[in-house]
Amino acid sequence: MMESAASLSETPDLHGAYPRLDERRVAELSKCGERRSVSPGDVLYREGEPAREFIVILRGKVATVEGYGGEEERTIAVHGPGRFLGELGLLTGQAGFLTAVVREPGEILAVPADQVRTMVAGDPAFGDLVLRAYLTRRTMLIGMDAGFRIIGSRYSPDARRLREFAARNRLPHRWIDLEEDEEAEALLRQLGISPQDTPIVIWRGDQVLRNPTTATLAKTIGLPAPRPGDGVCDLIVVGAGPAGLAASVYGASEGLITVVLDAVAAGGQASTSSRIDNYLGFPSGISGAELAERAVIQAAKFGARLTVPAEASGLEADDGHYSVLVEGGPAVQGHAVLIATGARYRKLDVPDLEKYEGCGVYYAATPFELRMCRQAPVVIVGGGNSAGQAALYLARNASSVRMLVRGGDLSESMSRYLTDAIGRTPGIEFMFHTEVRELLGDGSLRAVRAQNNQTGQFIEIETNAMFVFIGADPHTGWLAGAVALDDRGFVITGNGSSHWEALPLEAGRPGVFAVGDVRSGSVKRVASAVGEGAMAVRLLHERFTMTGHRQQGR
């Protein structure tokens, strides 16, 4: 496909997405790379394939393209000398979402991906430059509706499952709604698929997955899958929220063979936070998703192996070690287990709630949800930090934001910096002593009927997007009978969990620890969860000393 002169203009560097390497850095990379001459039309890598090389442009121009060679081909960016190509998948092992095509003749420097990953891990300045660029590129791709397509009905639970998996894992994708998108029906006819056979996923333009499981979708796009026959590892971390990721980083960095399992996505509930402003070391704030992605790359740098999706379904003692049963996959065996499965969103007790979940009722405020609130009124239920962060984030696009709070003030539930920020933001209104009683709509949400719990007065609030942040319940159903739980289902740790001398954070069995939101009595904050994850690894070494276990080494 020929490019016009205008389209060959280099894409401006937006927010650090397309930085240029200086001569010194190029010289350092040249020591472990190969220089190659390239001609127009040469394909340097293709979408759908894992990245094997880190490519720096020395002369000429290269375009990154979606749907290369197809009817819907579009150029995402054009790069000239000094820029490097690639996406986040080069660091995480995912398949790429774009194809790189040479547009002007020149020369490139190709460095093996493994060597660049080592350099990213060992050189803070270079690592931060590459990581920031790749994270920003991923955010931009999501905003462009690039990536695979999900076609289905907004009322379908399976379509909702696929959309949530893609959004929580920050996978670039486009949602095509059978009820609203005129393109949907024509596309299904072209593929010979009836609406009743949806949802479907279209990958690389021509590969069609009919109502795939999340595991099938993950495998298709290159996310690591559980592997049988790996033997007994040192540490199994169940749950990849902040506590689990911290334990993974510290465990793997100290030589423990570490396997990490998560049912949905890395980051836990923190990954749905649009911005965390009070986390140590990030004075300008950081999104929960970016914090999680940085932690995943850091854990992988030390050799921890993360598997998503891998839902734990049971914990058993097995001949001197433990087995974590995995839904639909092989059990994982380890000498120690760290329970970090966090909590699941608490739901409102209102009629027909499930009918509107995913088509009007949401439990996260991420770029995916932000796009659905353009110049529309939004309702947020809750008065905690998550609700406050969501209000500030959604106010960017929404015409108005109403926060429905059951109590009369926020002093005990929301941090002062958030209440101050909300007070300075136009368009956000608090409605205290207010509770949702009914959801109104025909298939999709049209309005919320709420009641003042002091006066009894009802009010109808028009909205097609209600966000619920009213706390969470511990995700401990998979632990039935395996460890002690308190009356609310949280894991009991320390001496209260057993009749023997348990270590702090130990959960009723030697070498089984619980950290973060899932632990009874924990402080429900990201920083404290990270601290508990790190502390648990230190205590694990103490337990191994008592039992005489020697780590296997890698």
Side-chain angles (χ1 to χ4, degrees):
M1 179 179 294
M2 297 296 293
E3 299 279 348
S4 67
S7 65
L8 278 177
S9 299
E10 191 175 47
T11 305
D13 180 15
L14 302 172
H15 315 295
Y18 308 129
R20 214 177 296 278
L21 300 178
D22 58 29
E23 292 182 3
R24 180 185 63 83
R25 183 65 68 183
V26 172
E28 290 175 357
L29 288 166
S30 296
K31 295 174 184 176
C32 51
E34 176 188 359
R35 292 174 177 255
R36 299 176 193 156
S37 296
V38 292
S39 303
D42 288 351
V43 175
L44 305 182
Y45 57 76
R46 295 182 183 275
E47 66 182 275
E49 298 177 355
R52 295 179 175 85
E53 295 177 326
F54 178 83
I55 295 173
V56 181
I57 303 167
L58 302 177
R59 288 187 295 106
K61 286 182 181 174
V62 177
T64 51
V65 177
E66 182 188 27
Y68 177 64
E71 293 181 2
E72 298 183 10
E73 176 182 326
R74 64 168 169 165
T75 297
I76 301 299
V78 176
H79 304 289
R83 289 192 178 177
F84 57 87
L85 306 178
E87 306 168 50
L88 194 60
L90 185 140
L91 301 179
T92 62
Q94 293 177 15
F97 289 91
L98 300 175
T99 297
V101 187
V102 177
R103 294 306 191 201
E104 286 185 357
E107 186 180 21
I108 64 167
L109 172 65
V111 184
D114 287 343
Q115 290 184 263
V116 168
R117 283 192 282 265
T118 301
M119 294 176 70
V120 165
D123 184 332
F126 180 62
D128 196 54
L129 179 76
V130 172
L131 183 55
R132 183 184 294 113
Y134 283 174
L135 289 171
T136 305
R137 292 178 195 184
R138 173 58 59 91
T139 299
M140 291 169 64
L141 282 179
I142 292 171
M144 292 175 180
D145 287 335
F148 55 86
R149 289 180 284 182
I150 303 174
I151 304 176
S153 167
R154 68 176 70 171
Y155 308 118
S156 163
D158 283 320
R160 230 167 20 234
R161 167 181 57 81
L162 293 170
R163 292 170 67 194
E164 179 185 3
F165 180 77
R168 289 285 302 277
N169 284 279
R170 283 174 52 82
L171 300 173
H173 68 285
R174 177 181 171 191
W175 162 243
I176 301 177
D177 192 331
L178 281 174
E179 274 70 39
E180 283 195 356
D181 200 316
E182 295 179 359
E183 173 192 353
E185 202 164 323
L187 187 55
L188 290 179
R189 279 199 302 270
Q190 180 182 336
L191 295 170
I193 296 171
S194 70
Q196 291 73 30
D197 292 330
T198 60
I200 63 170
V201 173
I202 301 177
W203 171 240
R204 298 182 65 179
D206 57 2
Q207 186 176 350
V208 178
L209 308 176
R210 298 176 185 246
N211 193 15
T213 64
T214 49
T216 298
L217 177 57
K219 182 178 179 181
T220 300
I221 62 175
L223 294 179
R227 299 189 308 221
D230 278 347
V232 182
C233 65
D234 292 311
L235 173 62
I236 307 170
V237 179
V238 187
L245 288 172
S248 306
V249 169
Y250 283 96
S253 69
E254 294 177 13
L256 300 178
I257 296 180
T258 304
V259 174
V260 193
L261 311 173
D262 198 281
V264 180
Q269 285 197 74
S271 68
T272 66
S273 295
S274 54
R275 194 139 211 91
I276 303 171
D277 282 309
N278 60 348
Y279 189 70
L280 183 68
F282 293 91
S284 60
I286 185 171
S287 73
E290 183 177 342
L291 183 66
E293 285 175 334
R294 285 175 174 267
V296 167
I297 293 168
Q298 192 175 16
K301 152 184 155 179
F302 292 117
R305 194 176 76 243
L306 171 66
T307 298
V308 175
E311 183 166 8
S313 58
L315 173 63
E316 298 176 350
D318 185 6
D319 192 26
H321 55 264
Y322 295 101
S323 287
V324 174
L325 309 183
V326 177
E327 193 73 37
V332 181
Q333 298 178 322
H335 292 288
V337 176
L338 186 134
I339 301 165
T341 42
R344 297 287 172 91
Y345 307 109
R346 193 171 294 151
K347 299 188 177 186
L348 286 172
D349 185 17
V350 295
D352 297 325
L353 178 71
E354 293 78 9
K355 174 182 173 183
Y356 296 101
E357 288 180 321
C359 52
V361 175
Y362 306 100
Y363 299 94
T366 69
F368 172 74
E369 288 83 15
L370 184 69
R371 295 202 305 273
M372 305 174 70
C373 301
R374 293 190 178 115
Q375 297 307 307
V378 165
V379 168
I380 295 176
V381 183
N385 279 2
S386 294
Q389 289 162 347
L392 291 171
Y393 184 64
L394 296 171
R396 301 178 188 178
N397 271 13
S399 60
S400 65
V401 177
R402 282 192 173 98
M403 299 189 69
L404 278 50
V405 183
R406 184 173 58 180
D409 75 63
L410 302 169
S411 60
E412 294 185 3
S413 60
M414 187 181 293
S415 297
R416 178 64 181 269
Y417 81 91
L418 280 172
T419 58
D420 289 347
I422 290 171
R424 296 191 300 268
T425 305
I428 303 178
E429 174 190 356
F430 284 111
M431 299 180 68
F432 292 105
H433 302 293
T434 305
E435 299 182 58
V436 176
R437 301 300 185 201
E438 188 179 0
L439 305 179
L440 307 174
D442 182 15
S444 59
L445 189 65
R446 174 182 60 79
V448 168
R449 194 163 186 255
Q451 182 183 28
N452 186 298
N453 57 29
Q454 288 192 325
T455 66
Q457 181 180 0
F458 283 91
I459 180 174
E460 187 173 305
I461 306 169
E462 289 191 10
T463 183
N464 57 15
M466 180 180 76
F467 293 81
V468 181
F469 298 98
I470 57 172
D473 296 314
H475 180 40
T476 52
W478 67 283
L479 290 167
V483 297
L485 307 177
D486 67 14
D487 56 0
R488 294 184 299 158
F490 292 90
V491 180
I492 300 171
T493 57
N495 286 333
S497 67
S498 65
H499 299 296
W500 45 273
E501 193 68 23
L503 295 171
L505 304 182
E506 208 162 25
R509 291 173 179 254
V512 176
F513 296 82
V515 294
D517 288 359
V518 77
R519 188 178 70 81
S520 180
S522 66
V523 177
K524 311 304 191 234
R525 289 288 187 271
V526 172
S528 60
V530 169
E532 287 189 10
M535 179 181 172
V537 172
R538 175 65 189 89
L539 294 169
L540 174 57
H541 284 297
E542 190 173 332
R543 173 56 64 194
F544 280 170
T545 298
M546 295 177 183
T547 60
H549 170 71
R550 302 182 67 145
Q551 66 190 51
Q552 300 177 41
R554 290 191 297 276

